[in-house]
Amino acid sequence: MNLVLFGPPAAGKGTQAKHLVDVYAMIHLSTGAMLRAAIASGSELGKKVAAIIDGGDLVSDDIVEALIESRIEALGSDKSYVFDGFPRTVAQAEALDGLMSRQGSRIDGVICLTVNEEKLVARVEKRFADEHRADDNLESFRVRLDHYNRDTSPLLPYYAAQGKLKTVDGMAAIESVSAEIDQIIGGLEA
Ligand code: AMP
């Protein structure tokens, strides 16, 4: 089973991805984490994307599509993937659908975590204090939220039209969100 964890920045996608890894042994594919690793390694790709990420803008579709494609081609189509922070544009979603279908696979469900803006801001401030992620300052966060609303939220009707979209209240306690996700997975497996 392959799932997309969907939602605005700081909605809790990474936290719930960990739950899916721990309980269902899914493979967590986070383009944000891959890009941060590229920056940390000092690679050409890292140098190219560092300023874009720090400012909160989106990296180009071809870069993130290539990262996901190479990872899936290396790991194989017999695995269960949880995508976190990808896709972020309709073009990326179309590329992912194409890649999965070439692998004889598919996205089974898209779980959208809904969180209001006030709570997102509070979480970003806390995460900045805990993890010092350069793009968790409020200025970059506003840019990231604008990109979510403008470029990423059109994926909601895209996946709804495919009958794959499930919405979960991401304001609830972490365990309750995980429990709701478990129920969705149970329904998809049935
Ligand atoms: P994240 O860890 O998912 O919040 O991603 C951190 C940053 O990496 C984003 O603000 C973007 O600059 C970049 N990024 C991550 N995933 C993508 C993607 N799918 N498309 C474009 N940019 C991305």
Side-chain angles (χ1 to χ4, degrees):
M1 170 171 318
N2 301 301
L3 299 175
V4 174
L5 273 176
F6 193 85
K13 301 188 293 291
T15 302
Q16 295 304 328
K18 279 197 195 87
H19 169 75
L20 296 176
V21 170
D22 291 347
V23 176
Y24 303 96
M26 296 182 85
I27 294 175
H28 181 197
L29 294 184
S30 156
T31 39
M34 292 175 205
L35 292 165
R36 282 188 289 280
I39 294 171
S41 76
S43 68
E44 280 309 310
L45 172 64
K47 286 183 195 136
K48 194 165 159 186
V49 300
I52 299 172
I53 292 178
D54 286 359
D57 282 312
L58 291 183
V59 168
S60 68
D61 290 336
D62 54 335
I63 289 179
V64 286
E65 287 166 10
L67 284 173
I68 290 289
E69 188 167 348
S70 68
R71 209 55 73 94
I72 290 182
E73 279 175 1
L75 292 165
S77 57
D78 53 336
K79 309 279 191 315
S80 282
Y81 294 103
V82 51
F83 296 91
D84 159 11
F86 180 91
R88 255 176 162 98
T89 63
V90 172
Q92 291 176 23
E94 287 169 350
L96 180 61
D97 280 345
L99 171 64
M100 298 305 267
S101 101
R102 285 197 298 283
Q103 301 264 337
S105 186
R106 68 196 290 268
I107 296 295
D108 298 286
V110 176
I111 299 173
C112 177
L113 305 176
T114 57
V115 178
N116 72 27
E117 200 170 318
E118 192 186 344
K119 186 119 182 172
L120 293 176
V121 169
R123 287 184 184 175
V124 161
E125 285 178 332
K126 183 174 182 308
R127 192 162 70 183
F128 186 61
D130 292 346
E131 297 175 26
H132 309 291
R133 249 180 72 169
D135 60 345
D136 273 344
N137 64 78
L138 273 190
E139 204 182 317
S140 298
F141 177 72
R142 288 275 159 219
V143 178
R144 287 158 69 199
L145 206 52
D146 281 350
H147 280 298
Y148 175 78
N149 290 326
R150 200 172 50 237
D151 304 315
T152 308
S153 65
L155 288 178
L156 294 170
Y158 176 89
Y159 283 122
Q162 295 187 0
K164 292 178 183 167
L165 186 65
K166 317 278 175 194
T167 302
V168 171
D169 175 12
M171 308 271 286
I174 290 174
E175 298 72 26
S176 314
V177 176
S178 300
E180 258 202 74
I181 291 176
D182 290 343
Q183 278 204 342
I184 290 171
I185 292 176
L188 289 171
E189 282 172 344

PDB file of all heavy atoms in Angstrom, residues 90 94 97 106-108 110 153-166:
ATOM      1  N   VAL A  90       0.470  20.006  -8.896  1.00  0.00           N
ATOM      2  CA  VAL A  90      -0.286  19.053  -9.725  1.00  0.00           C
ATOM      3  C   VAL A  90       0.672  18.333 -10.682  1.00  0.00           C
ATOM      4  O   VAL A  90       0.548  17.120 -10.904  1.00  0.00           O
ATOM      5  CB  VAL A  90      -1.434  19.768 -10.470  1.00  0.00           C
ATOM      6  CG1 VAL A  90      -2.078  18.831 -11.479  1.00  0.00           C
ATOM      7  CG2 VAL A  90      -2.485  20.272  -9.476  1.00  0.00           C
ATOM      8  N   GLU A  94       1.035  14.305 -11.071  1.00  0.00           N
ATOM      9  CA  GLU A  94       0.908  13.588 -12.345  1.00  0.00           C
ATOM     10  C   GLU A  94       2.157  12.745 -12.598  1.00  0.00           C
ATOM     11  O   GLU A  94       2.064  11.598 -13.058  1.00  0.00           O
ATOM     12  CB  GLU A  94       0.667  14.586 -13.483  1.00  0.00           C
ATOM     13  CG  GLU A  94      -0.745  15.168 -13.425  1.00  0.00           C
ATOM     14  CD  GLU A  94      -0.952  16.362 -14.363  1.00  0.00           C
ATOM     15  OE1 GLU A  94       0.034  16.882 -14.925  1.00  0.00           O
ATOM     16  OE2 GLU A  94      -2.117  16.791 -14.499  1.00  0.00           O
ATOM     17  N   ASP A  97       1.949   9.701 -10.325  1.00  0.00           N
ATOM     18  CA  ASP A  97       1.002   8.710 -10.872  1.00  0.00           C
ATOM     19  C   ASP A  97       1.647   7.946 -12.036  1.00  0.00           C
ATOM     20  O   ASP A  97       1.508   6.723 -12.141  1.00  0.00           O
ATOM     21  CB  ASP A  97      -0.284   9.397 -11.355  1.00  0.00           C
ATOM     22  CG  ASP A  97      -1.237   9.712 -10.202  1.00  0.00           C
ATOM     23  OD1 ASP A  97      -1.044   9.163  -9.094  1.00  0.00           O
ATOM     24  OD2 ASP A  97      -2.189  10.506 -10.407  1.00  0.00           O
ATOM     25  N   ARG A 106       0.444   1.884  -7.536  1.00  0.00           N
ATOM     26  CA  ARG A 106      -0.452   3.037  -7.508  1.00  0.00           C
ATOM     27  C   ARG A 106      -0.431   3.707  -6.141  1.00  0.00           C
ATOM     28  O   ARG A 106       0.027   3.096  -5.172  1.00  0.00           O
ATOM     29  CB  ARG A 106      -1.885   2.600  -7.816  1.00  0.00           C
ATOM     30  CG  ARG A 106      -2.483   1.731  -6.718  1.00  0.00           C
ATOM     31  CD  ARG A 106      -3.704   0.993  -7.190  1.00  0.00           C
ATOM     32  NE  ARG A 106      -4.837   1.858  -7.412  1.00  0.00           N
ATOM     33  CZ  ARG A 106      -5.785   2.148  -6.517  1.00  0.00           C
ATOM     34  NH1 ARG A 106      -5.733   1.623  -5.305  1.00  0.00           N
ATOM     35  NH2 ARG A 106      -6.790   2.929  -6.823  1.00  0.00           N
ATOM     36  N   ILE A 107      -0.918   4.933  -6.083  1.00  0.00           N
ATOM     37  CA  ILE A 107      -1.183   5.583  -4.799  1.00  0.00           C
ATOM     38  C   ILE A 107      -2.559   5.082  -4.340  1.00  0.00           C
ATOM     39  O   ILE A 107      -3.546   5.205  -5.069  1.00  0.00           O
ATOM     40  CB  ILE A 107      -1.206   7.119  -4.955  1.00  0.00           C
ATOM     41  CG1 ILE A 107       0.172   7.651  -5.373  1.00  0.00           C
ATOM     42  CG2 ILE A 107      -1.681   7.801  -3.672  1.00  0.00           C
ATOM     43  CD1 ILE A 107       1.266   7.462  -4.346  1.00  0.00           C
ATOM     44  N   ASP A 108      -2.605   4.508  -3.141  1.00  0.00           N
ATOM     45  CA  ASP A 108      -3.871   3.944  -2.669  1.00  0.00           C
ATOM     46  C   ASP A 108      -4.715   4.966  -1.918  1.00  0.00           C
ATOM     47  O   ASP A 108      -5.944   4.912  -1.970  1.00  0.00           O
ATOM     48  CB  ASP A 108      -3.595   2.740  -1.761  1.00  0.00           C
ATOM     49  CG  ASP A 108      -2.876   1.649  -2.527  1.00  0.00           C
ATOM     50  OD1 ASP A 108      -3.523   0.985  -3.340  1.00  0.00           O
ATOM     51  OD2 ASP A 108      -1.646   1.492  -2.346  1.00  0.00           O
ATOM     52  N   VAL A 110      -4.708   9.169   0.045  1.00  0.00           N
ATOM     53  CA  VAL A 110      -4.068  10.444   0.350  1.00  0.00           C
ATOM     54  C   VAL A 110      -4.711  10.955   1.634  1.00  0.00           C
ATOM     55  O   VAL A 110      -5.928  11.179   1.678  1.00  0.00           O
ATOM     56  CB  VAL A 110      -4.274  11.447  -0.804  1.00  0.00           C
ATOM     57  CG1 VAL A 110      -3.690  12.808  -0.462  1.00  0.00           C
ATOM     58  CG2 VAL A 110      -3.656  10.892  -2.084  1.00  0.00           C
ATOM     59  N   SER A 153      -2.563  23.179  -2.631  1.00  0.00           N
ATOM     60  CA  SER A 153      -3.963  22.834  -2.323  1.00  0.00           C
ATOM     61  C   SER A 153      -4.766  22.394  -3.563  1.00  0.00           C
ATOM     62  O   SER A 153      -5.729  21.644  -3.406  1.00  0.00           O
ATOM     63  CB  SER A 153      -4.654  23.966  -1.559  1.00  0.00           C
ATOM     64  OG  SER A 153      -4.745  25.096  -2.356  1.00  0.00           O
ATOM     65  N   PRO A 154      -4.383  22.790  -4.809  1.00  0.00           N
ATOM     66  CA  PRO A 154      -5.099  22.230  -5.972  1.00  0.00           C
ATOM     67  C   PRO A 154      -5.003  20.699  -6.074  1.00  0.00           C
ATOM     68  O   PRO A 154      -5.732  20.074  -6.846  1.00  0.00           O
ATOM     69  CB  PRO A 154      -4.418  22.907  -7.175  1.00  0.00           C
ATOM     70  CG  PRO A 154      -3.900  24.195  -6.641  1.00  0.00           C
ATOM     71  CD  PRO A 154      -3.469  23.891  -5.222  1.00  0.00           C
ATOM     72  N   LEU A 155      -4.108  20.102  -5.282  1.00  0.00           N
ATOM     73  CA  LEU A 155      -4.036  18.633  -5.277  1.00  0.00           C
ATOM     74  C   LEU A 155      -5.231  18.015  -4.567  1.00  0.00           C
ATOM     75  O   LEU A 155      -5.522  16.829  -4.770  1.00  0.00           O
ATOM     76  CB  LEU A 155      -2.761  18.173  -4.568  1.00  0.00           C
ATOM     77  CG  LEU A 155      -1.484  18.418  -5.334  1.00  0.00           C
ATOM     78  CD1 LEU A 155      -0.284  17.978  -4.529  1.00  0.00           C
ATOM     79  CD2 LEU A 155      -1.531  17.634  -6.623  1.00  0.00           C
ATOM     80  N   LEU A 156      -5.895  18.815  -3.729  1.00  0.00           N
ATOM     81  CA  LEU A 156      -7.058  18.250  -3.007  1.00  0.00           C
ATOM     82  C   LEU A 156      -8.147  17.832  -3.991  1.00  0.00           C
ATOM     83  O   LEU A 156      -8.574  16.678  -3.970  1.00  0.00           O
ATOM     84  CB  LEU A 156      -7.561  19.238  -1.946  1.00  0.00           C
ATOM     85  CG  LEU A 156      -6.570  19.475  -0.797  1.00  0.00           C
ATOM     86  CD1 LEU A 156      -7.008  20.643   0.081  1.00  0.00           C
ATOM     87  CD2 LEU A 156      -6.431  18.212   0.068  1.00  0.00           C
ATOM     88  N   PRO A 157      -8.596  18.723  -4.903  1.00  0.00           N
ATOM     89  CA  PRO A 157      -9.572  18.255  -5.898  1.00  0.00           C
ATOM     90  C   PRO A 157      -9.000  17.185  -6.836  1.00  0.00           C
ATOM     91  O   PRO A 157      -9.732  16.308  -7.285  1.00  0.00           O
ATOM     92  CB  PRO A 157      -9.959  19.529  -6.670  1.00  0.00           C
ATOM     93  CG  PRO A 157      -8.960  20.566  -6.305  1.00  0.00           C
ATOM     94  CD  PRO A 157      -8.397  20.188  -4.973  1.00  0.00           C
ATOM     95  N   TYR A 158      -7.683  17.247  -7.099  1.00  0.00           N
ATOM     96  CA  TYR A 158      -7.050  16.244  -7.984  1.00  0.00           C
ATOM     97  C   TYR A 158      -7.232  14.844  -7.393  1.00  0.00           C
ATOM     98  O   TYR A 158      -7.665  13.910  -8.075  1.00  0.00           O
ATOM     99  CB  TYR A 158      -5.555  16.586  -8.131  1.00  0.00           C
ATOM    100  CG  TYR A 158      -4.743  15.597  -8.946  1.00  0.00           C
ATOM    101  CD1 TYR A 158      -4.616  15.750 -10.328  1.00  0.00           C
ATOM    102  CD2 TYR A 158      -4.077  14.529  -8.345  1.00  0.00           C
ATOM    103  CE1 TYR A 158      -3.862  14.844 -11.080  1.00  0.00           C
ATOM    104  CE2 TYR A 158      -3.323  13.633  -9.081  1.00  0.00           C
ATOM    105  CZ  TYR A 158      -3.221  13.790 -10.454  1.00  0.00           C
ATOM    106  OH  TYR A 158      -2.473  12.901 -11.193  1.00  0.00           O
ATOM    107  N   TYR A 159      -6.926  14.703  -6.093  1.00  0.00           N
ATOM    108  CA  TYR A 159      -7.027  13.377  -5.471  1.00  0.00           C
ATOM    109  C   TYR A 159      -8.473  13.032  -5.103  1.00  0.00           C
ATOM    110  O   TYR A 159      -8.842  11.849  -5.084  1.00  0.00           O
ATOM    111  CB  TYR A 159      -6.115  13.281  -4.249  1.00  0.00           C
ATOM    112  CG  TYR A 159      -4.650  13.100  -4.624  1.00  0.00           C
ATOM    113  CD1 TYR A 159      -3.683  13.995  -4.203  1.00  0.00           C
ATOM    114  CD2 TYR A 159      -4.247  12.011  -5.397  1.00  0.00           C
ATOM    115  CE1 TYR A 159      -2.344  13.819  -4.539  1.00  0.00           C
ATOM    116  CE2 TYR A 159      -2.917  11.828  -5.750  1.00  0.00           C
ATOM    117  CZ  TYR A 159      -1.973  12.738  -5.318  1.00  0.00           C
ATOM    118  OH  TYR A 159      -0.653  12.557  -5.662  1.00  0.00           O
ATOM    119  N   ALA A 160      -9.271  14.069  -4.815  1.00  0.00           N
ATOM    120  CA  ALA A 160     -10.696  13.794  -4.529  1.00  0.00           C
ATOM    121  C   ALA A 160     -11.343  13.195  -5.769  1.00  0.00           C
ATOM    122  O   ALA A 160     -12.143  12.257  -5.683  1.00  0.00           O
ATOM    123  CB  ALA A 160     -11.396  15.083  -4.096  1.00  0.00           C
ATOM    124  N   ALA A 161     -10.980  13.717  -6.955  1.00  0.00           N
ATOM    125  CA  ALA A 161     -11.560  13.220  -8.209  1.00  0.00           C
ATOM    126  C   ALA A 161     -11.169  11.761  -8.447  1.00  0.00           C
ATOM    127  O   ALA A 161     -11.890  11.016  -9.104  1.00  0.00           O
ATOM    128  CB  ALA A 161     -11.089  14.091  -9.378  1.00  0.00           C
ATOM    129  N   GLN A 162     -10.035  11.356  -7.879  1.00  0.00           N
ATOM    130  CA  GLN A 162      -9.608   9.945  -8.001  1.00  0.00           C
ATOM    131  C   GLN A 162     -10.218   9.079  -6.895  1.00  0.00           C
ATOM    132  O   GLN A 162      -9.936   7.882  -6.811  1.00  0.00           O
ATOM    133  CB  GLN A 162      -8.079   9.839  -7.917  1.00  0.00           C
ATOM    134  CG  GLN A 162      -7.334  10.500  -9.068  1.00  0.00           C
ATOM    135  CD  GLN A 162      -5.819  10.215  -9.003  1.00  0.00           C
ATOM    136  OE1 GLN A 162      -5.326   9.532  -8.115  1.00  0.00           O
ATOM    137  NE2 GLN A 162      -5.088  10.763  -9.953  1.00  0.00           N
ATOM    138  N   GLY A 163     -11.002   9.722  -6.003  1.00  0.00           N
ATOM    139  CA  GLY A 163     -11.638   8.978  -4.899  1.00  0.00           C
ATOM    140  C   GLY A 163     -10.653   8.537  -3.831  1.00  0.00           C
ATOM    141  O   GLY A 163     -10.919   7.600  -3.072  1.00  0.00           O
ATOM    142  N   LYS A 164      -9.500   9.235  -3.730  1.00  0.00           N
ATOM    143  CA  LYS A 164      -8.448   8.767  -2.806  1.00  0.00           C
ATOM    144  C   LYS A 164      -8.294   9.644  -1.565  1.00  0.00           C
ATOM    145  O   LYS A 164      -7.526   9.307  -0.666  1.00  0.00           O
ATOM    146  CB  LYS A 164      -7.098   8.741  -3.540  1.00  0.00           C
ATOM    147  CG  LYS A 164      -7.038   7.693  -4.624  1.00  0.00           C
ATOM    148  CD  LYS A 164      -5.715   7.743  -5.358  1.00  0.00           C
ATOM    149  CE  LYS A 164      -5.728   6.715  -6.489  1.00  0.00           C
ATOM    150  NZ  LYS A 164      -4.614   6.916  -7.408  1.00  0.00           N
ATOM    151  N   LEU A 165      -8.986  10.772  -1.521  1.00  0.00           N
ATOM    152  CA  LEU A 165      -8.714  11.760  -0.473  1.00  0.00           C
ATOM    153  C   LEU A 165      -9.460  11.447   0.827  1.00  0.00           C
ATOM    154  O   LEU A 165     -10.674  11.275   0.828  1.00  0.00           O
ATOM    155  CB  LEU A 165      -9.124  13.149  -0.976  1.00  0.00           C
ATOM    156  CG  LEU A 165      -8.775  14.302  -0.043  1.00  0.00           C
ATOM    157  CD1 LEU A 165      -7.263  14.441   0.090  1.00  0.00           C
ATOM    158  CD2 LEU A 165      -9.391  15.596  -0.559  1.00  0.00           C
ATOM    159  N   LYS A 166      -8.700  11.363   1.928  1.00  0.00           N
ATOM    160  CA  LYS A 166      -9.275  11.175   3.268  1.00  0.00           C
ATOM    161  C   LYS A 166      -8.775  12.326   4.131  1.00  0.00           C
ATOM    162  O   LYS A 166      -7.587  12.658   4.080  1.00  0.00           O
ATOM    163  CB  LYS A 166      -8.803   9.868   3.910  1.00  0.00           C
ATOM    164  CG  LYS A 166      -8.785   8.675   2.988  1.00  0.00           C
ATOM    165  CD  LYS A 166     -10.139   8.061   2.857  1.00  0.00           C
ATOM    166  CE  LYS A 166     -10.125   6.943   1.834  1.00  0.00           C
ATOM    167  NZ  LYS A 166     -11.425   6.515   1.404  1.00  0.00           N
TER     168      LYS A 166
END
